[in-house]
Amino acid sequence: MKVKAKELISGQTIRVEYGDYGNWVKFQIDAVKPDGRYINVDCHAGGVHTTLAMEPEEMVEVNES
């Protein structure tokens, strides 16, 4: 299912292209923080912790499992 970045919530798992083209990674969301023009999404995948900056209307794939 796809949702807008502004609709994301902690605990969801998202699938994003990360680091290189074609490198799809599932990240678990730790926190969602509006920051002016962007939505900062604190998340992790295994030992990788990162913050993704997304536009509020950007569509993001959420894993339902």
Side-chain angles (χ1 to χ4, degrees), residues 13 18 25-30 43-50:
T13 301
Y18 181 77
V25 179
K26 291 181 182 178
F27 284 101
Q28 183 170 355
I29 298 174
D30 300 316
C43 53
H44 70 277
V48 176
H49 294 264
T50 192

Side-chain angles (χ1 to χ4, degrees), residues 51-65:
T51 300
L52 305 173
M54 301 178 178
E55 294 189 11
E57 300 297 318
E58 184 175 340
M59 297 303 287
V60 182
E61 184 177 330
V62 176
N63 288 22
E64 297 184 46
S65 56

Side-chain angles (χ1 to χ4, degrees), residues 7-39:
E7 298 170 340
L8 293 171
I9 57 173
S10 297
Q12 288 180 313
T13 301
I14 58 174
R15 183 175 176 263
V16 296
E17 199 169 25
Y18 181 77
D20 199 5
Y21 294 110
N23 184 43
W24 291 93
V25 179
K26 291 181 182 178
F27 284 101
Q28 183 170 355
I29 298 174
D30 300 316
V32 179
K33 305 173 192 170
D35 184 27
R37 181 177 164 197
Y38 296 99
I39 304 292

